[in-house]
Amino acid sequence: MVVTGDPSQSDLEGAARNGLQDAALRLRGYKDVGFVEFTARDIVRHPLVEQIVKAYESPLRGPREGEKPA
């Protein structure tokens, strides 16, 4: 069985652990259970997707010089 998800995406409030995080904590270390975690370097889609992922992994910042705020 393969379970996929993005641990950074959750609609739960505060420090509540989502189902993916809970499963990872409970099952990590079992002999026949493995985990593969990807980073922004693994993205091979459009360059804009990689920029968006990096933006969400970085501290919040304002618009770049010359850009108009949304």
Side-chain angles (χ1 to χ4, degrees), residues 10-53:
S10 176
D11 58 358
L12 301 177
E13 303 253 342
R17 193 168 55 218
N18 67 39
L20 182 62
Q21 293 166 327
D22 185 62
L25 286 171
R26 291 174 187 269
L27 301 175
R28 196 176 298 274
Y30 279 81
K31 179 181 148 201
D32 294 324
V33 176
F35 291 86
V36 177
E37 297 180 18
F38 296 102
T39 67
R41 291 179 26 185
D42 298 305
I43 295 174
V44 292
R45 290 179 249 156
H46 192 279
L48 179 58
V49 175
E50 186 174 357
Q51 291 174 14
I52 291 170
V53 170

Side-chain angles (χ1 to χ4, degrees), residues 4-5 7-8 14-15 28 32 34 37 40 45 51 54 56 61 64 69:
T4 65
S8 69
R28 196 176 298 274
D32 294 324
E37 297 180 18
R45 290 179 249 156
Q51 291 174 14
K54 286 179 181 178
Y56 277 91
R61 64 171 177 74
R64 293 183 182 189

